[in-house]
Amino acid sequence: MLIARSTDYAIRALKYLAESGEEVAVSELTQKLKIPWPFMRKIMQLLGRGGFVASKKGPGGGFILLKKPEEIYLTELIKLFQGPVCLNECVFKKKVCANKRTCYLSKKLGEIEEYAYLVLSRINLKEIMEGGRNYGKTENN
Amino acid sequence: MLIARSTDYAIRALKYLAESGEEVAVSELTQKLKIPWPFMRKIMQLLGRGGFVASKKGPGGGFILLKKPEEIYLTELIKLFQGPVCLNECVFKKKVCANKRTCYLSKKLGEIEEYAYLVLSRINLKEIMEGGRNYGKTENN
DNA sequence: CAATAAAGATACCAACATGGTATCATATAT
DNA sequence: ATATATGATACCATGTTGGTATCTTTATTG
Ligand code: FES
Ligand code: FES
């Protein structure tokens, strides 16, 4: 799967923040987006570390968007929540395969990965917000 | 990951069978390819059910390739061992997302999946055998 | 016709990734 | 001071996948 749940939730949260424009507490996010509370918190914290949002503690505090929607690229979010986009990893996981350079399959998978990265790296939050008007409104669990 | 371990092992086994041309027992496969024995068996059984190989029981028995290498496509193997190639599944796993049709992200991921499928579906065993002379000789685990 | 060597079937186990939870510490507004 | 928010972090639960074990069935061969 290219996009994990955590990344998806992050997108929804960012979208909400972008539309709100002001400080939003996790409690509000979690209510509006129907996402489990502690999980949402974890995600917001990560977004904070990633520099996408700023946080304010105390009553009335919450999270606020730091970047413009058009500056938030999908690949950045994926990297933050799932690590680098990678589809052609040699099956001998951790260990590097000696044939990686010459392996035919690896080359082909690399092409796919390259294409995937290209497409994903062009998608930004603004596009998602405009392109998919109902993204994140999937209340049908 | 596009290609799982099981699929990879299957490719190696098929390659070996193709080069051998005659009945090969799992014991031989497992020795030559350095793949765990019971796992290899399971994989060969699946390949049998998938119609890629025929089996012969009893002493001297084993598996023999049923198709020509150029008729064995990577997507078929992936389907057999990992299920259908799918990269754009909506995060609400099992349940179908009502917005699937209009979701911008889903559309983009669909494009990637389509491309991936196109590339993979053109790759056959013969290509792999010729293109990557040392595929499956990764003895460096 | 035994004994043996193979595969068929199937249930089980272990490691890992991921989604999700809980807890305690810290900062801030009132 | 207290309530309300996040920061950090450790933990738990579930599912998938790689891997194992066991028992049955079929065929060869002496
Ligand atoms: S088998 Fe390792 S890169 Fe191809
Ligand atoms: S959120 Fe379900 S398809 Fe986009």
Side-chain angles (χ1 to χ4, degrees):
Chain A
M1 208 58 350
L2 282 170
I3 307 232
R5 198 105 138 214
S6 45
T7 310
D8 184 283
Y9 286 171
I11 297 172
R12 299 179 189 214
L14 289 172
K15 174 173 181 266
Y16 191 89
L17 288 192
E19 283 163 353
S20 159
E22 46 177 22
E23 221 102 42
V24 177
V26 169
S27 57
E28 183 179 342
L29 282 172
T30 216
Q31 270 177 35
K32 295 292 173 54
L33 302 178
K34 306 252 176 85
I35 293 173
W37 190 76
F39 196 27
M40 185 82 265
R41 284 210 46 195
K42 198 155 93 173
I43 286 167
M44 293 315 295
Q45 290 191 3
L46 242 186
L47 282 175
R49 279 183 225 149
F52 294 92
V53 300
S55 69
K56 210 174 93 187
K57 290 182 182 180
F63 294 89
I64 195 164
L65 205 56
L66 275 185
K67 302 182 174 185
K68 285 184 231 152
E70 57 266 36
E71 287 170 339
I72 297 178
Y73 289 96
L74 193 45
T75 37
E76 296 305 315
L77 290 174
I78 293 177
K79 256 175 231 158
L80 186 59
F81 287 92
Q82 309 170 221
V85 177
C86 176
L87 293 176
N88 77 332
E89 189 179 298
C90 174
V91 286
F92 294 106
K93 307 260 156 161
K94 326 284 175 191
K95 308 161 186 175
V96 178
C97 172
N99 300 330
K100 189 99 185 180
R101 264 166 295 111
T102 51
C103 178
Y104 177 73
L105 220 52
S106 180
K107 208 186 312 174
K108 286 296 185 182
L109 297 180
E111 283 173 31
I112 295 174
E113 182 181 310
E114 210 172 316
Y115 178 80
Y117 191 88
L118 191 75
V119 172
L120 294 175
S121 69
R122 288 195 202 286
I123 301 175
N124 61 41
L125 183 57
K126 193 177 171 209
E127 273 184 344
I128 293 176
M129 290 172 68
E130 290 171 351
R133 293 234 170 274
N134 47 12
Y135 182 81
K137 292 229 184 83
T138 65
E139 323 260 347
N140 66 329
N141 355 359
Chain B
M1 207 59 345
L2 282 172
I3 307 231
R5 198 104 138 216
S6 45
T7 309
D8 183 283
Y9 286 170
I11 297 172
R12 299 180 188 212
L14 289 173
K15 174 172 182 267
Y16 191 89
L17 289 192
E19 284 163 353
S20 159
E22 46 177 23
E23 220 102 43
V24 177
V26 168
S27 56
E28 184 180 340
L29 282 172
T30 216
Q31 270 177 34
K32 295 290 172 57
L33 303 177
K34 307 252 175 85
I35 294 173
W37 189 76
F39 196 26
M40 186 83 263
R41 285 210 46 194
K42 197 155 96 174
I43 287 167
M44 294 315 295
Q45 289 191 3
L46 243 187
L47 281 174
R49 280 184 224 150
F52 293 92
V53 299
S55 68
K56 210 175 94 187
K57 290 183 182 178
F63 294 89
I64 195 164
L65 206 55
L66 275 185
K67 302 182 175 186
K68 286 184 231 152
E70 57 267 36
E71 287 170 339
I72 297 178
Y73 290 95
L74 193 44
T75 36
E76 296 305 314
L77 290 174
I78 293 177
K79 256 175 231 158
L80 186 60
F81 287 93
Q82 309 169 219
V85 177
C86 176
L87 293 175
N88 78 331
E89 188 180 297
C90 173
V91 287
F92 295 105
K93 307 258 158 162
K94 326 284 174 190
K95 308 159 186 176
V96 179
C97 173
N99 299 330
K100 190 100 184 181
R101 264 165 297 111
T102 50
C103 177
Y104 177 73
L105 220 52
S106 180
K107 208 186 311 174
K108 287 295 186 183
L109 297 180
E111 283 174 31
I112 294 174
E113 182 182 311
E114 210 172 315
Y115 177 80
Y117 192 88
L118 191 75
V119 172
L120 294 175
S121 69
R122 288 195 200 288
I123 300 176
N124 61 41
L125 183 57
K126 192 177 170 209
E127 273 184 345
I128 294 177
M129 291 172 66
E130 291 171 351
R133 292 235 170 273
N134 46 12
Y135 182 81
K137 292 229 184 80
T138 64
E139 323 260 346
N140 67 327
N141 353 3

PDB file of all heavy atoms in Angstrom, chain B residues 124-141:
ATOM      1  N   ASN B 124       8.370 -11.392 -18.412  1.00  0.00           N
ATOM      2  CA  ASN B 124       8.185 -12.833 -18.294  1.00  0.00           C
ATOM      3  C   ASN B 124       9.473 -13.504 -17.836  1.00  0.00           C
ATOM      4  O   ASN B 124      10.529 -12.873 -17.754  1.00  0.00           O
ATOM      5  CB  ASN B 124       7.696 -13.417 -19.626  1.00  0.00           C
ATOM      6  CG  ASN B 124       8.694 -13.182 -20.745  1.00  0.00           C
ATOM      7  OD1 ASN B 124       9.899 -13.310 -20.555  1.00  0.00           O
ATOM      8  ND2 ASN B 124       8.189 -12.823 -21.910  1.00  0.00           N
ATOM      9  N   LEU B 125       9.343 -14.763 -17.524  1.00  0.00           N
ATOM     10  CA  LEU B 125      10.472 -15.500 -16.957  1.00  0.00           C
ATOM     11  C   LEU B 125      11.685 -15.499 -17.878  1.00  0.00           C
ATOM     12  O   LEU B 125      12.823 -15.377 -17.433  1.00  0.00           O
ATOM     13  CB  LEU B 125      10.055 -16.933 -16.641  1.00  0.00           C
ATOM     14  CG  LEU B 125      11.123 -17.803 -15.972  1.00  0.00           C
ATOM     15  CD1 LEU B 125      11.612 -17.172 -14.690  1.00  0.00           C
ATOM     16  CD2 LEU B 125      10.602 -19.195 -15.712  1.00  0.00           C
ATOM     17  N   LYS B 126      11.426 -15.606 -19.168  1.00  0.00           N
ATOM     18  CA  LYS B 126      12.536 -15.645 -20.120  1.00  0.00           C
ATOM     19  C   LYS B 126      13.380 -14.377 -20.005  1.00  0.00           C
ATOM     20  O   LYS B 126      14.604 -14.429 -19.908  1.00  0.00           O
ATOM     21  CB  LYS B 126      11.983 -15.782 -21.544  1.00  0.00           C
ATOM     22  CG  LYS B 126      13.051 -16.132 -22.573  1.00  0.00           C
ATOM     23  CD  LYS B 126      12.429 -16.318 -23.943  1.00  0.00           C
ATOM     24  CE  LYS B 126      13.512 -16.427 -25.022  1.00  0.00           C
ATOM     25  NZ  LYS B 126      13.052 -15.946 -26.321  1.00  0.00           N
ATOM     26  N   GLU B 127      12.669 -13.247 -19.985  1.00  0.00           N
ATOM     27  CA  GLU B 127      13.350 -11.964 -19.821  1.00  0.00           C
ATOM     28  C   GLU B 127      14.204 -11.935 -18.563  1.00  0.00           C
ATOM     29  O   GLU B 127      15.348 -11.495 -18.583  1.00  0.00           O
ATOM     30  CB  GLU B 127      12.324 -10.833 -19.721  1.00  0.00           C
ATOM     31  CG  GLU B 127      11.887 -10.263 -21.044  1.00  0.00           C
ATOM     32  CD  GLU B 127      10.947  -9.085 -20.809  1.00  0.00           C
ATOM     33  OE1 GLU B 127      10.445  -8.939 -19.677  1.00  0.00           O
ATOM     34  OE2 GLU B 127      10.731  -8.331 -21.742  1.00  0.00           O
ATOM     35  N   ILE B 128      13.601 -12.386 -17.494  1.00  0.00           N
ATOM     36  CA  ILE B 128      14.331 -12.368 -16.223  1.00  0.00           C
ATOM     37  C   ILE B 128      15.582 -13.224 -16.316  1.00  0.00           C
ATOM     38  O   ILE B 128      16.657 -12.838 -15.877  1.00  0.00           O
ATOM     39  CB  ILE B 128      13.434 -12.874 -15.070  1.00  0.00           C
ATOM     40  CG1 ILE B 128      12.287 -11.896 -14.835  1.00  0.00           C
ATOM     41  CG2 ILE B 128      14.241 -13.057 -13.808  1.00  0.00           C
ATOM     42  CD1 ILE B 128      11.305 -12.328 -13.778  1.00  0.00           C
ATOM     43  N   MET B 129      15.431 -14.404 -16.950  1.00  0.00           N
ATOM     44  CA  MET B 129      16.572 -15.311 -17.070  1.00  0.00           C
ATOM     45  C   MET B 129      17.679 -14.711 -17.935  1.00  0.00           C
ATOM     46  O   MET B 129      18.865 -14.876 -17.641  1.00  0.00           O
ATOM     47  CB  MET B 129      16.122 -16.645 -17.656  1.00  0.00           C
ATOM     48  CG  MET B 129      15.249 -17.430 -16.693  1.00  0.00           C
ATOM     49  SD  MET B 129      14.519 -18.905 -17.445  1.00  0.00           S
ATOM     50  CE  MET B 129      15.958 -19.895 -17.761  1.00  0.00           C
ATOM     51  N   GLU B 130      17.270 -14.037 -18.975  1.00  0.00           N
ATOM     52  CA  GLU B 130      18.285 -13.458 -19.859  1.00  0.00           C
ATOM     53  C   GLU B 130      18.795 -12.121 -19.342  1.00  0.00           C
ATOM     54  O   GLU B 130      19.995 -11.869 -19.338  1.00  0.00           O
ATOM     55  CB  GLU B 130      17.689 -13.257 -21.256  1.00  0.00           C
ATOM     56  CG  GLU B 130      17.430 -14.572 -21.956  1.00  0.00           C
ATOM     57  CD  GLU B 130      16.649 -14.378 -23.243  1.00  0.00           C
ATOM     58  OE1 GLU B 130      16.181 -13.244 -23.485  1.00  0.00           O
ATOM     59  OE2 GLU B 130      16.505 -15.354 -23.994  1.00  0.00           O
ATOM     60  N   GLY B 131      17.853 -11.298 -18.919  1.00  0.00           N
ATOM     61  CA  GLY B 131      18.211  -9.950 -18.494  1.00  0.00           C
ATOM     62  C   GLY B 131      19.096  -9.934 -17.272  1.00  0.00           C
ATOM     63  O   GLY B 131      20.067  -9.195 -17.211  1.00  0.00           O
ATOM     64  N   GLY B 132      18.760 -10.733 -16.316  1.00  0.00           N
ATOM     65  CA  GLY B 132      19.540 -10.735 -15.083  1.00  0.00           C
ATOM     66  C   GLY B 132      20.256 -12.051 -14.938  1.00  0.00           C
ATOM     67  O   GLY B 132      19.745 -12.951 -14.318  1.00  0.00           O
ATOM     68  N   ARG B 133      21.422 -12.124 -15.481  1.00  0.00           N
ATOM     69  CA  ARG B 133      22.144 -13.397 -15.489  1.00  0.00           C
ATOM     70  C   ARG B 133      22.357 -13.940 -14.085  1.00  0.00           C
ATOM     71  O   ARG B 133      22.439 -15.126 -13.861  1.00  0.00           O
ATOM     72  CB  ARG B 133      23.499 -13.230 -16.172  1.00  0.00           C
ATOM     73  CG  ARG B 133      23.398 -12.947 -17.644  1.00  0.00           C
ATOM     74  CD  ARG B 133      24.205 -13.946 -18.466  1.00  0.00           C
ATOM     75  NE  ARG B 133      23.886 -13.794 -19.897  1.00  0.00           N
ATOM     76  CZ  ARG B 133      22.893 -14.418 -20.491  1.00  0.00           C
ATOM     77  NH1 ARG B 133      22.117 -15.251 -19.813  1.00  0.00           N
ATOM     78  NH2 ARG B 133      22.644 -14.229 -21.765  1.00  0.00           N
ATOM     79  N   ASN B 134      22.467 -13.039 -13.145  1.00  0.00           N
ATOM     80  CA  ASN B 134      22.756 -13.528 -11.799  1.00  0.00           C
ATOM     81  C   ASN B 134      21.554 -13.424 -10.859  1.00  0.00           C
ATOM     82  O   ASN B 134      21.714 -13.418  -9.656  1.00  0.00           O
ATOM     83  CB  ASN B 134      23.940 -12.770 -11.214  1.00  0.00           C
ATOM     84  CG  ASN B 134      23.783 -11.288 -11.438  1.00  0.00           C
ATOM     85  OD1 ASN B 134      22.708 -10.830 -11.830  1.00  0.00           O
ATOM     86  ND2 ASN B 134      24.828 -10.548 -11.176  1.00  0.00           N
ATOM     87  N   TYR B 135      20.381 -13.345 -11.424  1.00  0.00           N
ATOM     88  CA  TYR B 135      19.224 -13.315 -10.538  1.00  0.00           C
ATOM     89  C   TYR B 135      19.118 -14.633  -9.805  1.00  0.00           C
ATOM     90  O   TYR B 135      19.150 -15.696 -10.387  1.00  0.00           O
ATOM     91  CB  TYR B 135      17.933 -13.076 -11.321  1.00  0.00           C
ATOM     92  CG  TYR B 135      16.744 -13.001 -10.407  1.00  0.00           C
ATOM     93  CD1 TYR B 135      16.454 -11.837  -9.742  1.00  0.00           C
ATOM     94  CD2 TYR B 135      15.950 -14.113 -10.176  1.00  0.00           C
ATOM     95  CE1 TYR B 135      15.397 -11.762  -8.880  1.00  0.00           C
ATOM     96  CE2 TYR B 135      14.889 -14.047  -9.311  1.00  0.00           C
ATOM     97  CZ  TYR B 135      14.608 -12.860  -8.671  1.00  0.00           C
ATOM     98  OH  TYR B 135      13.550 -12.800  -7.807  1.00  0.00           O
ATOM     99  N   GLY B 136      18.954 -14.543  -8.503  1.00  0.00           N
ATOM    100  CA  GLY B 136      18.804 -15.751  -7.708  1.00  0.00           C
ATOM    101  C   GLY B 136      20.122 -16.363  -7.298  1.00  0.00           C
ATOM    102  O   GLY B 136      20.165 -17.403  -6.672  1.00  0.00           O
ATOM    103  N   LYS B 137      21.206 -15.718  -7.623  1.00  0.00           N
ATOM    104  CA  LYS B 137      22.499 -16.237  -7.169  1.00  0.00           C
ATOM    105  C   LYS B 137      23.010 -15.424  -5.994  1.00  0.00           C
ATOM    106  O   LYS B 137      24.196 -15.335  -5.746  1.00  0.00           O
ATOM    107  CB  LYS B 137      23.516 -16.162  -8.313  1.00  0.00           C
ATOM    108  CG  LYS B 137      23.219 -17.095  -9.465  1.00  0.00           C
ATOM    109  CD  LYS B 137      24.457 -17.912  -9.859  1.00  0.00           C
ATOM    110  CE  LYS B 137      24.218 -18.796 -11.070  1.00  0.00           C
ATOM    111  NZ  LYS B 137      24.307 -18.053 -12.330  1.00  0.00           N
ATOM    112  N   THR B 138      22.081 -14.824  -5.273  1.00  0.00           N
ATOM    113  CA  THR B 138      22.476 -13.955  -4.171  1.00  0.00           C
ATOM    114  C   THR B 138      22.816 -14.789  -2.946  1.00  0.00           C
ATOM    115  O   THR B 138      22.019 -14.942  -2.042  1.00  0.00           O
ATOM    116  CB  THR B 138      21.337 -13.008  -3.806  1.00  0.00           C
ATOM    117  OG1 THR B 138      20.257 -13.817  -3.322  1.00  0.00           O
ATOM    118  CG2 THR B 138      20.862 -12.254  -5.006  1.00  0.00           C
ATOM    119  N   GLU B 139      24.013 -15.290  -2.935  1.00  0.00           N
ATOM    120  CA  GLU B 139      24.417 -16.189  -1.849  1.00  0.00           C
ATOM    121  C   GLU B 139      24.920 -15.424  -0.638  1.00  0.00           C
ATOM    122  O   GLU B 139      25.460 -16.006   0.282  1.00  0.00           O
ATOM    123  CB  GLU B 139      25.519 -17.120  -2.346  1.00  0.00           C
ATOM    124  CG  GLU B 139      25.358 -17.575  -3.780  1.00  0.00           C
ATOM    125  CD  GLU B 139      24.781 -18.967  -3.867  1.00  0.00           C
ATOM    126  OE1 GLU B 139      24.765 -19.641  -2.839  1.00  0.00           O
ATOM    127  OE2 GLU B 139      24.345 -19.378  -4.956  1.00  0.00           O
ATOM    128  N   ASN B 140      24.780 -14.155  -0.689  1.00  0.00           N
ATOM    129  CA  ASN B 140      25.304 -13.346   0.416  1.00  0.00           C
ATOM    130  C   ASN B 140      24.270 -13.104   1.505  1.00  0.00           C
ATOM    131  O   ASN B 140      24.467 -12.260   2.336  1.00  0.00           O
ATOM    132  CB  ASN B 140      25.745 -11.981  -0.124  1.00  0.00           C
ATOM    133  CG  ASN B 140      24.554 -11.188  -0.608  1.00  0.00           C
ATOM    134  OD1 ASN B 140      23.595 -11.772  -1.104  1.00  0.00           O
ATOM    135  ND2 ASN B 140      24.572  -9.892  -0.454  1.00  0.00           N
ATOM    136  N   ASN B 141      23.204 -13.872   1.456  1.00  0.00           N
ATOM    137  CA  ASN B 141      22.021 -13.528   2.259  1.00  0.00           C
ATOM    138  C   ASN B 141      22.274 -12.239   2.976  1.00  0.00           C
ATOM    139  O   ASN B 141      22.062 -12.009   4.068  1.00  0.00           O
ATOM    140  CB  ASN B 141      21.604 -14.586   3.301  1.00  0.00           C
ATOM    141  CG  ASN B 141      22.397 -15.844   3.191  1.00  0.00           C
ATOM    142  OD1 ASN B 141      23.300 -15.939   2.389  1.00  0.00           O
ATOM    143  ND2 ASN B 141      22.069 -16.807   3.989  1.00  0.00           N
TER     144      ASN B 141
END
